[in-house]
Amino acid sequence: MTVVPLRPRRAIVASLASSVLLLLAMAGCASTGQAGATPTASTSASASASTGPCSEVTVIVDFGTLDSPAIRACGPAGVALDTLKAAKIATEGSGDYGDTVVCRVDNHPTPAEESCAKLPSDAYWALWVKSSADGKWDYAQEGVATLKLTAGESVGLVYTHGTDSTPPQD
């Protein structure tokens, strides 16, 4: 048996990892037709362009009293926070709870309206989940950082004032 010293093994692993990352980056550019494109911030317009059935997880954002149109998008199954990111829904956590709760979605409320240093006591993003297209919305019992979603489910964020939250309108 040949024993390869530890340092060359690390170099081989690093080289393989770099190759895999390069291939993934090239595949991503090829699939979008935008080789060398500069990434841009997500916008409501790009996410709301999703129409028709979603074969993975349907994502709905209802801005409630905030002045922004609702978003309907599609994202992969997995942890809700990752699903939102993949669906190009930009979220921000709060200073006191981090990413476990959502304080801002696609820059709403704006930093001038809410600092997100602490979770506000009178308004919040309610998290909803629906097990199937014809199911009913249920208030999520977990936060976005731990809620696991499967294909066919829907997840919704609704900006809510006070204690009464209504489910997303889909």
Side-chain angles (χ1 to χ4, degrees):
M1 176 168 105
T2 305
V3 175
V4 178
L6 188 58
R7 192 155 186 79
R9 280 190 208 164
R10 287 185 182 155
I12 292 168
V13 170
S15 176
L16 287 173
S18 295
S19 298
V20 168
L21 289 174
L22 179 61
L23 287 173
L24 288 173
M26 290 181 355
C29 291
S31 69
T32 62
Q34 298 177 352
T38 303
T40 58
S42 67
T43 63
S44 298
S46 65
S48 62
S50 175
T51 58
C54 175
S55 63
E56 287 287 327
V57 175
T58 301
V59 177
I60 297 176
V61 178
D62 180 344
F63 289 92
T65 59
L66 300 172
D67 190 25
S68 191
I71 297 172
R72 182 180 180 92
C74 190
V79 175
L81 188 60
D82 297 332
T83 300
L84 292 166
K85 285 180 185 177
K88 298 190 179 7
I89 308 293
T91 63
E92 262 182 70
S94 67
D96 48 357
Y97 292 101
D99 286 338
T100 59
V101 296
V102 175
C103 178
R104 195 178 329 281
V105 175
D106 281 356
N107 206 36
H108 294 290
T110 66
E113 295 169 310
E114 178 58 52
S115 76
C116 291
K118 289 192 172 276
L119 197 58
S121 61
D122 62 339
Y124 68 102
W125 284 95
L127 184 63
W128 293 84
V129 66
K130 185 165 66 164
S131 62
S132 66
D134 58 347
K136 70 176 191 69
W137 287 102
D138 290 314
Y139 199 81
Q141 300 301 304
E142 296 182 59
V144 293
T146 59
L147 178 64
K148 291 184 180 156
L149 301 164
T150 59
E153 288 187 307
S154 297
V155 64
L157 284 167
V158 178
Y159 190 72
T160 303
H161 276 86
T163 58
D164 293 329
S165 179
T166 58
Q169 303 301 307
D170 56 346

